[in-house]
Coordinates of all heavy atoms in Angstrom, one line a residue:
M1 N 31.5 -197.1 119.9 CA 31.3 -197.5 118.6 C 32.3 -196.8 117.6 O 32.5 -195.6 117.8 CB 29.8 -197.1 118.2 CG 29.5 -197.5 116.8 SD 27.8 -197.2 116.4 CE 27.2 -198.8 116.1
E2 N 32.8 -197.6 116.8 CA 33.8 -197.0 115.8 C 33.2 -196.1 114.8 O 32.1 -196.4 114.3 CB 34.5 -198.2 115.1 CG 35.9 -198.4 115.4 CD 36.5 -199.4 114.6 OE1 36.8 -199.2 113.5 OE2 36.7 -200.5 115.2
S3 N 33.8 -195.0 114.6 CA 33.3 -194.1 113.5 C 33.7 -194.6 112.2 O 34.8 -195.0 111.9 CB 34.0 -192.7 113.8 OG 33.7 -191.8 112.7
M4 N 32.7 -194.6 111.3 CA 32.9 -195.1 109.9 C 32.9 -193.9 109.0 O 32.1 -193.1 109.0 CB 31.8 -196.1 109.5 CG 31.9 -197.4 110.3 SD 30.6 -198.5 109.7 CE 31.3 -199.0 108.1
K5 N 34.0 -193.9 108.2 CA 34.1 -192.8 107.1 C 33.5 -193.4 105.9 O 33.9 -194.5 105.4 CB 35.5 -192.4 106.9 CG 36.0 -191.3 107.7 CD 37.3 -190.8 107.2 CE 37.7 -189.5 107.8 NZ 39.0 -189.1 107.4
M6 N 32.6 -192.7 105.3 CA 32.0 -193.1 104.0 C 32.7 -192.3 102.9 O 32.8 -191.1 103.0 CB 30.5 -192.9 103.9 CG 29.8 -193.9 104.8 SD 28.0 -193.9 104.5 CE 27.9 -194.5 102.9
E7 N 33.2 -193.0 101.9 CA 33.8 -192.3 100.8 C 32.7 -191.6 99.9 O 31.7 -192.2 99.8 CB 34.6 -193.3 99.9 CG 35.3 -192.7 98.8 CD 36.1 -193.8 98.0 OE1 36.1 -194.9 98.4 OE2 36.6 -193.4 97.0
K8 N 33.0 -190.4 99.5 CA 32.0 -189.8 98.6 C 32.0 -190.5 97.3 O 33.0 -190.9 96.7 CB 32.5 -188.3 98.4 CG 31.5 -187.5 97.5 CD 32.0 -186.1 97.4 CE 31.1 -185.3 96.5 NZ 30.2 -185.8 95.6
F9 N 30.8 -190.7 96.8 CA 30.6 -191.3 95.5 C 31.0 -190.4 94.4 O 30.7 -189.2 94.4 CB 29.2 -191.8 95.3 CG 28.8 -192.9 96.1 CD1 27.8 -192.8 97.0 CD2 29.4 -194.2 96.0 CE1 27.4 -193.9 97.8 CE2 29.0 -195.2 96.7 CZ 28.0 -195.1 97.7
R10 N 31.8 -190.9 93.4 CA 32.1 -190.2 92.2 C 31.3 -190.9 91.1 O 31.7 -192.0 90.6 CB 33.6 -190.2 91.9 CG 34.4 -189.4 92.9 CD 35.9 -189.5 92.7 NE 36.4 -190.8 92.5 CZ 36.7 -191.6 93.6 NH1 36.6 -191.2 94.8 NH2 37.2 -192.8 93.4
I11 N 30.1 -190.3 90.8 CA 29.1 -191.0 90.0 C 29.3 -190.8 88.5 O 29.6 -189.7 88.0 CB 27.7 -190.5 90.4 CG1 27.5 -190.8 91.8 CG2 26.6 -191.1 89.5 CD1 26.2 -190.2 92.4
A12 N 29.1 -191.8 87.7 CA 29.0 -191.7 86.2 C 27.7 -192.4 85.8 O 27.3 -193.4 86.4 CB 30.2 -192.4 85.6
I13 N 27.2 -191.9 84.7 CA 26.0 -192.5 84.1 C 26.3 -192.8 82.6 O 26.7 -191.8 81.9 CB 24.7 -191.6 84.2 CG1 24.4 -191.2 85.6 CG2 23.5 -192.3 83.5 CD1 24.9 -189.9 86.0
V14 N 26.3 -194.0 82.2 CA 26.6 -194.4 80.9 C 25.3 -194.7 80.1 O 24.5 -195.5 80.5 CB 27.4 -195.7 80.8 CG1 27.7 -196.1 79.4 CG2 28.7 -195.5 81.6
G15 N 25.0 -193.9 79.1 CA 23.8 -194.1 78.3 C 22.8 -192.9 78.6 O 22.4 -192.8 79.7
L16 N 22.5 -192.2 77.5 CA 21.6 -191.0 77.7 C 20.4 -191.1 76.9 O 20.0 -190.1 76.3 CB 22.4 -189.7 77.4 CG 23.6 -189.5 78.3 CD1 24.4 -188.3 77.9 CD2 23.2 -189.4 79.8
G17 N 19.8 -192.3 76.9 CA 18.4 -192.4 76.3 C 17.4 -191.9 77.2 O 17.7 -191.1 78.2
A18 N 16.2 -192.3 77.1 CA 15.1 -191.8 78.0 C 15.4 -192.1 79.4 O 15.3 -191.2 80.3 CB 13.8 -192.4 77.5
T19 N 15.7 -193.3 79.8 CA 15.9 -193.7 81.1 C 17.2 -193.0 81.7 O 17.2 -192.5 82.8 CB 16.0 -195.2 81.3 OG1 14.8 -195.8 80.8 CG2 16.3 -195.7 82.7
G20 N 18.3 -193.1 80.9 CA 19.6 -192.5 81.4 C 19.5 -191.0 81.6 O 20.1 -190.5 82.5
T21 N 18.7 -190.3 80.8 CA 18.6 -188.9 80.9 C 17.8 -188.5 82.2 O 18.2 -187.6 82.9 CB 17.9 -188.3 79.6 OG1 18.7 -188.6 78.5 CG2 17.7 -186.8 79.8
V22 N 16.7 -189.2 82.4 CA 16.0 -188.9 83.7 C 16.8 -189.3 84.9 O 16.9 -188.5 85.9 CB 14.6 -189.7 83.7 CG1 13.9 -189.6 85.0 CG2 13.7 -189.2 82.6
L23 N 17.5 -190.4 84.9 CA 18.4 -190.8 85.9 C 19.5 -189.7 86.1 O 19.8 -189.3 87.3 CB 19.0 -192.1 85.7 CG 20.1 -192.6 86.7 CD1 19.5 -192.8 88.0 CD2 20.7 -193.9 86.2
S24 N 20.1 -189.3 85.0 CA 21.1 -188.2 85.1 C 20.6 -186.9 85.7 O 21.2 -186.4 86.6 CB 21.6 -187.9 83.7 OG 22.3 -189.0 83.1
A25 N 19.4 -186.5 85.3 CA 18.8 -185.3 85.9 C 18.6 -185.4 87.4 O 19.0 -184.5 88.2 CB 17.5 -185.0 85.2
A26 N 18.1 -186.6 87.8 CA 17.9 -186.8 89.3 C 19.2 -186.8 90.0 O 19.3 -186.2 91.1 CB 17.1 -188.1 89.5
L27 N 20.2 -187.5 89.5 CA 21.5 -187.5 90.2 C 22.2 -186.2 90.2 O 22.9 -185.8 91.1 CB 22.4 -188.6 89.6 CG 21.9 -190.0 89.9 CD1 22.6 -191.1 89.0 CD2 22.0 -190.4 91.3
L28 N 22.2 -185.5 89.0 CA 22.8 -184.2 88.9 C 22.2 -183.1 89.9 O 22.9 -182.2 90.3 CB 22.8 -183.6 87.5 CG 23.7 -184.3 86.5 CD1 23.3 -184.0 85.1 CD2 25.2 -183.9 86.8
R29 N 21.0 -183.3 90.2 CA 20.4 -182.4 91.2 C 21.1 -182.5 92.5 O 21.2 -181.5 93.3 CB 18.9 -182.7 91.4 CG 18.0 -182.2 90.3 CD 16.6 -182.7 90.3 NE 16.0 -182.5 91.6 CZ 14.7 -182.8 91.9 NH1 14.0 -183.4 90.9 NH2 14.2 -182.6 93.0
K30 N 21.5 -183.7 92.9 CA 22.2 -183.9 94.2 C 23.7 -183.8 94.1 O 24.4 -183.5 95.0 CB 21.8 -185.3 94.8 CG 20.3 -185.4 95.1 CD 20.0 -184.5 96.2 CE 18.5 -184.7 96.6 NZ 18.1 -183.8 97.6
D31 N 24.2 -184.2 92.9 CA 25.7 -184.2 92.7 C 26.0 -183.6 91.3 O 26.1 -184.3 90.4 CB 26.2 -185.6 92.8 CG 27.7 -185.7 92.7 OD1 28.4 -184.6 92.6 OD2 28.2 -186.8 92.7
P32 N 26.2 -182.3 91.2 CA 26.5 -181.6 90.0 C 27.8 -182.1 89.3 O 28.1 -181.8 88.2 CB 26.6 -180.1 90.3 CG 26.0 -180.0 91.7 CD 26.1 -181.3 92.3
A33 N 28.7 -182.8 90.1 CA 29.9 -183.3 89.5 C 29.8 -184.6 88.8 O 30.8 -185.2 88.3 CB 31.0 -183.4 90.6
A34 N 28.6 -185.2 88.8 CA 28.4 -186.5 88.1 C 28.8 -186.4 86.7 O 28.7 -185.4 86.1 CB 26.9 -187.0 88.3
V35 N 29.3 -187.5 86.1 CA 29.8 -187.5 84.8 C 28.8 -188.3 83.9 O 28.4 -189.4 84.2 CB 31.2 -188.2 84.7 CG1 31.7 -188.2 83.3 CG2 32.2 -187.5 85.7
L36 N 28.5 -187.7 82.7 CA 27.6 -188.4 81.8 C 28.5 -189.0 80.7 O 29.4 -188.4 80.2 CB 26.6 -187.4 81.2 CG 25.8 -186.6 82.2 CD1 24.8 -185.8 81.4 CD2 25.2 -187.4 83.2
V37 N 28.1 -190.2 80.2 CA 28.8 -190.8 79.1 C 27.8 -191.0 78.0 O 26.8 -191.8 78.1 CB 29.5 -192.1 79.5 CG1 30.2 -192.7 78.3 CG2 30.4 -191.9 80.6
G38 N 28.0 -190.3 76.8 CA 27.1 -190.4 75.7 C 27.9 -190.9 74.5 O 28.9 -191.5 74.6
K39 N 27.4 -190.4 73.3 CA 28.0 -190.9 72.1 C 28.7 -189.9 71.2 O 29.5 -190.3 70.3 CB 26.9 -191.6 71.2 CG 26.3 -192.8 71.8 CD 25.4 -193.5 70.8 CE 24.9 -194.8 71.3 NZ 23.9 -195.4 70.3
S40 N 28.5 -188.6 71.4 CA 29.1 -187.7 70.4 C 29.5 -186.3 71.0 O 29.0 -185.9 72.1 CB 28.0 -187.5 69.3 OG 27.0 -186.7 69.8
N41 N 30.3 -185.7 70.3 CA 30.7 -184.3 70.7 C 29.5 -183.3 70.5 O 29.4 -182.4 71.3 CB 31.9 -183.8 69.8 CG 33.2 -184.2 70.4 OD1 33.4 -184.2 71.6 ND2 34.1 -184.6 69.5
N42 N 28.7 -183.6 69.5 CA 27.5 -182.7 69.4 C 26.6 -182.8 70.6 O 26.1 -181.8 71.1 CB 26.7 -183.1 68.1 CG 27.4 -182.8 66.8 OD1 28.3 -181.9 66.8 ND2 27.0 -183.5 65.8
E43 N 26.4 -184.0 71.1 CA 25.6 -184.2 72.3 C 26.3 -183.5 73.5 O 25.6 -182.8 74.3 CB 25.4 -185.7 72.6 CG 24.5 -185.9 73.8 CD 24.2 -187.4 73.9 OE1 25.2 -188.2 74.0 OE2 23.1 -187.8 74.0
R44 N 27.6 -183.6 73.6 CA 28.4 -182.9 74.6 C 28.1 -181.4 74.6 O 27.8 -180.8 75.6 CB 29.9 -183.2 74.5 CG 30.7 -182.4 75.6 CD 32.2 -182.3 75.3 NE 32.8 -183.5 74.7 CZ 33.7 -184.2 75.2 NH1 34.1 -184.0 76.5 NH2 34.2 -185.2 74.6
E45 N 28.3 -180.8 73.4 CA 28.1 -179.4 73.3 C 26.7 -178.9 73.7 O 26.5 -177.9 74.3 CB 28.5 -179.0 71.8 CG 29.9 -179.1 71.5 CD 30.2 -178.9 70.0 OE1 29.4 -178.5 69.3 OE2 31.4 -179.2 69.7
T46 N 25.7 -179.7 73.2 CA 24.3 -179.3 73.5 C 24.0 -179.4 75.0 O 23.4 -178.5 75.6 CB 23.4 -180.2 72.7 OG1 23.6 -180.1 71.3 CG2 21.9 -179.9 73.0
L47 N 24.5 -180.5 75.6 CA 24.2 -180.7 77.1 C 25.0 -179.7 77.9 O 24.4 -179.2 78.9 CB 24.5 -182.1 77.5 CG 23.5 -183.1 77.0 CD1 24.0 -184.5 77.3 CD2 22.1 -182.9 77.5
I48 N 26.2 -179.4 77.6 CA 27.0 -178.4 78.3 C 26.4 -177.0 78.2 O 26.3 -176.3 79.2 CB 28.5 -178.4 77.9 CG1 29.1 -179.8 78.1 CG2 29.2 -177.3 78.6 CD1 29.5 -180.1 79.5
K49 N 25.9 -176.7 77.0 CA 25.3 -175.4 76.8 C 23.9 -175.3 77.4 O 23.6 -174.3 78.0 CB 25.2 -175.2 75.3 CG 24.6 -173.8 74.9 CD 24.5 -173.7 73.4 CE 23.8 -172.4 73.0 NZ 23.5 -172.3 71.6
N50 N 23.0 -176.3 77.2 CA 21.6 -176.2 77.6 C 21.3 -177.0 78.8 O 20.2 -176.8 79.4 CB 20.7 -176.7 76.4 CG 20.9 -175.9 75.2 OD1 21.2 -174.7 75.2 ND2 20.9 -176.6 74.0
G51 N 22.1 -177.9 79.3 CA 21.7 -178.7 80.4 C 20.7 -179.8 80.0 O 20.4 -180.0 78.8
I52 N 20.1 -180.4 81.0 CA 19.0 -181.3 80.8 C 17.7 -180.8 81.4 O 17.7 -180.3 82.5 CB 19.3 -182.7 81.5 CG1 20.6 -183.3 81.0 CG2 18.1 -183.6 81.5 CD1 21.0 -184.6 81.7
N53 N 16.7 -180.8 80.6 CA 15.3 -180.4 81.0 C 14.4 -181.5 81.0 O 14.2 -182.1 79.9 CB 14.8 -179.2 80.1 CG 15.8 -178.0 80.2 OD1 15.9 -177.5 81.2 ND2 16.4 -177.7 79.1
V54 N 13.8 -181.9 82.1 CA 12.9 -183.1 82.2 C 11.6 -182.5 82.6 O 11.4 -181.7 83.5 CB 13.4 -184.1 83.2 CG1 12.4 -185.2 83.4 CG2 14.8 -184.7 82.8
T55 N 10.5 -183.0 81.9 CA 9.2 -182.6 82.3 C 8.4 -183.9 82.8 O 8.9 -185.0 82.5 CB 8.4 -182.0 81.1 OG1 8.4 -183.0 80.0 CG2 9.1 -180.8 80.6
G56 N 7.3 -183.7 83.4 CA 6.5 -184.8 83.9 C 6.6 -184.9 85.4 O 6.8 -183.9 86.1
K57 N 6.5 -186.1 86.0 CA 6.6 -186.2 87.5 C 7.8 -185.7 88.1 O 7.9 -185.2 89.2 CB 6.4 -187.7 87.8 CG 5.0 -188.2 87.5 CD 4.4 -188.8 88.7 CE 3.0 -189.3 88.4 NZ 2.1 -189.1 89.4
L58 N 9.0 -185.9 87.4 CA 10.3 -185.4 87.9 C 10.6 -184.2 87.0 O 11.5 -184.3 86.2 CB 11.3 -186.5 87.8 CG 12.7 -186.1 88.1 CD1 12.9 -186.0 89.7 CD2 13.7 -187.1 87.6
A59 N 9.9 -183.2 87.1 CA 10.2 -182.0 86.3 C 11.4 -181.2 87.0 O 11.4 -180.9 88.1 CB 9.0 -181.1 86.3
C60 N 12.5 -181.1 86.2 CA 13.6 -180.3 86.6 C 14.5 -179.9 85.5 O 14.4 -180.5 84.4 CB 14.4 -181.1 87.7 SG 15.2 -182.6 87.0
S61 N 15.3 -178.9 85.7 CA 16.4 -178.5 84.8 C 17.7 -178.5 85.5 O 17.8 -178.0 86.6 CB 16.1 -177.1 84.3 OG 14.9 -177.1 83.5
V62 N 18.7 -179.1 85.0 CA 20.0 -179.2 85.6 C 21.1 -178.9 84.6 O 21.0 -179.1 83.4 CB 20.2 -180.6 86.2 CG1 19.3 -180.9 87.4 CG2 20.1 -181.7 85.2
S63 N 22.2 -178.4 85.1 CA 23.4 -178.1 84.3 C 24.2 -179.4 84.2 O 24.1 -180.2 85.1 CB 24.2 -177.0 85.0 OG 23.5 -175.8 85.1
V64 N 24.9 -179.4 83.1 CA 25.8 -180.6 82.9 C 27.2 -180.0 82.8 O 27.5 -179.1 82.0 CB 25.5 -181.3 81.6 CG1 26.5 -182.4 81.3 CG2 24.1 -181.9 81.7
A65 N 28.1 -180.5 83.7 CA 29.5 -180.0 83.7 C 30.5 -181.0 83.1 O 31.5 -180.6 82.5 CB 29.9 -179.6 85.1
N66 N 30.2 -182.3 83.3 CA 31.1 -183.3 82.9 C 30.5 -184.3 81.9 O 29.4 -184.9 82.2 CB 31.6 -184.1 84.1 CG 32.3 -183.2 85.1 OD1 33.2 -182.4 84.8 ND2 31.8 -183.2 86.3
Y67 N 31.1 -184.5 80.7 CA 30.5 -185.3 79.7 C 31.7 -186.0 79.0 O 32.7 -185.4 78.7 CB 29.7 -184.5 78.7 CG 29.1 -185.3 77.6 CD1 27.8 -185.7 77.6 CD2 29.9 -185.7 76.5 CE1 27.2 -186.5 76.6 CE2 29.3 -186.4 75.4 CZ 28.0 -186.8 75.5 OH 27.5 -187.5 74.5
C68 N 31.5 -187.3 78.8 CA 32.5 -188.1 78.0 C 31.8 -188.6 76.7 O 30.7 -189.0 76.8 CB 33.0 -189.3 78.8 SG 33.9 -188.8 80.3
C69 N 32.6 -188.7 75.7 CA 32.0 -189.2 74.4 C 32.2 -190.7 74.3 O 31.7 -191.4 73.4 CB 32.7 -188.6 73.2 SG 32.2 -186.9 73.0
N70 N 33.1 -191.3 75.1 CA 33.3 -192.7 75.1 C 33.7 -193.2 76.5 O 34.2 -192.4 77.3 CB 34.3 -193.1 74.0 CG 35.6 -192.5 74.3 OD1 36.3 -192.7 75.3 ND2 36.1 -191.7 73.3
I71 N 33.6 -194.5 76.7 CA 33.9 -195.1 78.0 C 35.4 -194.9 78.4 O 35.7 -194.7 79.6 CB 33.4 -196.5 78.1 CG1 33.2 -197.0 79.5 CG2 34.4 -197.5 77.4 CD1 31.9 -196.5 80.0
A72 N 36.3 -194.9 77.5 CA 37.7 -194.8 77.8 C 38.0 -193.4 78.4 O 38.8 -193.3 79.3 CB 38.6 -195.0 76.5
E73 N 37.3 -192.4 78.0 CA 37.5 -191.0 78.5 C 37.1 -190.9 80.0 O 37.5 -190.0 80.7 CB 36.5 -190.1 77.7 CG 37.1 -188.8 77.2 CD 36.1 -188.0 76.5 OE1 35.6 -188.4 75.4 OE2 35.8 -186.9 77.0
L74 N 36.2 -191.8 80.4 CA 35.7 -191.8 81.8 C 36.8 -192.1 82.8 O 36.7 -191.6 84.0 CB 34.6 -192.9 81.9 CG 33.8 -193.0 83.2 CD1 33.2 -191.6 83.5 CD2 32.8 -194.1 83.1
R75 N 37.9 -192.7 82.4 CA 39.0 -193.0 83.3 C 39.5 -191.8 84.1 O 39.9 -191.9 85.3 CB 40.2 -193.6 82.6 CG 40.0 -195.0 82.2 CD 41.2 -195.6 81.6 NE 40.8 -196.6 80.7 CZ 41.6 -197.2 79.8 NH1 42.8 -196.7 79.6 NH2 41.1 -198.2 79.1
K76 N 39.6 -190.6 83.4 CA 40.2 -189.4 84.0 C 39.3 -189.0 85.2 O 39.8 -188.2 86.1 CB 40.4 -188.3 83.0 CG 39.1 -187.7 82.5 CD 39.5 -186.6 81.5 CE 38.3 -186.0 80.9 NZ 38.5 -185.1 79.8
Y77 N 38.1 -189.4 85.3 CA 37.2 -189.0 86.4 C 37.2 -190.0 87.6 O 36.7 -189.7 88.6 CB 35.7 -188.8 85.9 CG 35.6 -187.7 85.0 CD1 35.6 -187.9 83.6 CD2 35.5 -186.4 85.4 CE1 35.4 -186.8 82.7 CE2 35.3 -185.3 84.5 CZ 35.3 -185.5 83.2 OH 35.2 -184.5 82.3
N78 N 37.8 -191.1 87.3 CA 37.9 -192.2 88.3 C 36.6 -192.4 89.1 O 36.6 -192.3 90.4 CB 39.1 -191.8 89.3 CG 39.5 -193.0 90.1 OD1 39.4 -194.1 89.8 ND2 40.0 -192.7 91.3
P79 N 35.5 -192.7 88.5 CA 34.3 -193.0 89.2 C 34.3 -194.2 90.1 O 35.0 -195.2 89.7 CB 33.2 -193.1 88.1 CG 34.0 -193.7 86.9 CD 35.4 -193.0 87.0
N80 N 33.6 -194.2 91.2 CA 33.5 -195.4 92.0 C 32.1 -195.9 92.1 O 31.8 -196.8 92.8 CB 34.1 -195.1 93.4 CG 33.4 -194.0 94.1 OD1 32.4 -193.5 93.7 ND2 34.0 -193.6 95.2
L81 N 31.2 -195.3 91.3 CA 29.8 -195.7 91.2 C 29.3 -195.4 89.8 O 29.2 -194.3 89.4 CB 28.9 -195.1 92.2 CG 27.4 -195.4 92.2 CD1 27.2 -196.9 92.4 CD2 26.6 -194.6 93.2
I82 N 29.0 -196.5 89.0 CA 28.7 -196.3 87.6 C 27.3 -196.9 87.3 O 27.1 -198.1 87.6 CB 29.7 -196.9 86.6 CG1 31.1 -196.3 86.9 CG2 29.3 -196.8 85.2 CD1 32.2 -197.0 86.1
F83 N 26.4 -196.1 86.8 CA 25.1 -196.6 86.4 C 25.1 -196.8 84.9 O 25.5 -195.9 84.1 CB 24.0 -195.5 86.7 CG 23.7 -195.3 88.2 CD1 24.5 -194.4 88.9 CD2 22.8 -196.1 88.8 CE1 24.2 -194.2 90.2 CE2 22.5 -195.9 90.2 CZ 23.3 -194.9 90.9
I84 N 24.7 -198.0 84.5 CA 24.7 -198.3 83.0 C 23.2 -198.4 82.6 O 22.5 -199.2 83.1 CB 25.4 -199.6 82.7 CG1 26.9 -199.5 83.2 CG2 25.3 -200.0 81.3 CD1 27.7 -200.8 83.1
S85 N 22.9 -197.5 81.6 CA 21.6 -197.4 81.1 C 21.6 -197.4 79.6 O 21.4 -196.4 79.0 CB 21.0 -196.1 81.7 OG 19.6 -195.9 81.2
T86 N 21.9 -198.5 79.1 CA 21.9 -198.7 77.6 C 21.1 -199.9 77.2 O 20.8 -200.8 78.0 CB 23.4 -198.9 77.1 OG1 23.9 -200.1 77.6 CG2 24.3 -197.7 77.5
K87 N 20.8 -200.0 75.9 CA 20.3 -201.2 75.3 C 21.4 -202.2 75.2 O 22.6 -201.8 75.1 CB 19.7 -200.9 74.0 CG 18.5 -199.9 74.0 CD 18.0 -199.7 72.6 CE 16.8 -198.8 72.6 NZ 17.1 -197.4 72.8
T88 N 21.1 -203.4 75.3 CA 22.1 -204.5 75.3 C 23.0 -204.4 74.0 O 24.2 -204.6 74.1 CB 21.4 -205.9 75.3 OG1 20.6 -205.9 76.5 CG2 22.5 -207.0 75.4
C89 N 22.4 -204.0 72.9 CA 23.1 -204.0 71.6 C 24.1 -202.8 71.6 O 25.1 -202.8 70.8 CB 22.2 -203.8 70.5 SG 21.2 -202.3 70.5
D90 N 24.0 -201.9 72.6 CA 25.0 -200.8 72.6 C 26.2 -201.0 73.5 O 27.1 -200.2 73.6 CB 24.3 -199.5 73.1 CG 23.4 -198.9 72.1 OD1 23.5 -199.2 70.9 OD2 22.4 -198.2 72.5
L91 N 26.2 -202.2 74.2 CA 27.3 -202.5 75.2 C 28.5 -202.9 74.4 O 28.5 -203.4 73.4 CB 26.8 -203.5 76.2 CG 25.8 -203.0 77.2 CD1 25.4 -204.2 78.1 CD2 26.4 -201.9 78.1

């Protein structure tokens, strides 16, 4: 049987509302290099400083290392798996 090499996913999450934040926390637990895409430098500073803290069924605290303020900035990370978690009006 031929050996198959799987490429490592370079994950990005676009949209940090309620759903995107919980998704981000879950993914960051497994892949701290995942990139978040939000809307502002203030959000970037807060998340880089404080990380994400989720309570409830998926209670966890994770650090955030990579954050983009816009989709164009995402190019430098060259993601190969992008989760989009926005309202339609934000696309």
Side-chain angles (χ1 to χ4, degrees):
M1 180 177 241
E2 248 183 78
S3 173
M4 293 184 70
K5 265 191 174 177
M6 290 191 64
E7 183 177 356
K8 181 180 179 339
F9 288 117
R10 293 179 307 279
I11 298 171
I13 303 99
V14 178
L16 299 175
T19 302
T21 298
V22 171
L23 175 62
S24 295
L27 291 170
L28 285 166
R29 285 171 49 180
K30 298 291 183 184
D31 182 4
V35 181
L36 309 185
V37 182
K39 291 185 176 183
S40 70
N41 274 321
N42 289 338
E43 186 175 52
R44 176 197 324 246
E45 291 170 11
T46 300
L47 289 174
I48 299 286
K49 180 181 176 186
N50 301 324
I52 296 174
N53 298 298
V54 175
T55 59
K57 293 238 181 216
L58 175 75
C60 67
S61 294
V62 293
S63 297
V64 174
N66 301 308
Y67 179 99
C68 299
C69 292
N70 60 61
I71 203 78
E73 226 181 298
L74 188 56
R75 285 185 204 166
K76 69 181 179 185
Y77 294 98
N78 194 28
N80 57 9
L81 178 60
I82 301 173
F83 293 89
I84 300 176
S85 179
T86 65
K87 294 180 179 78
T88 304
C89 61
D90 289 337
L91 289 176

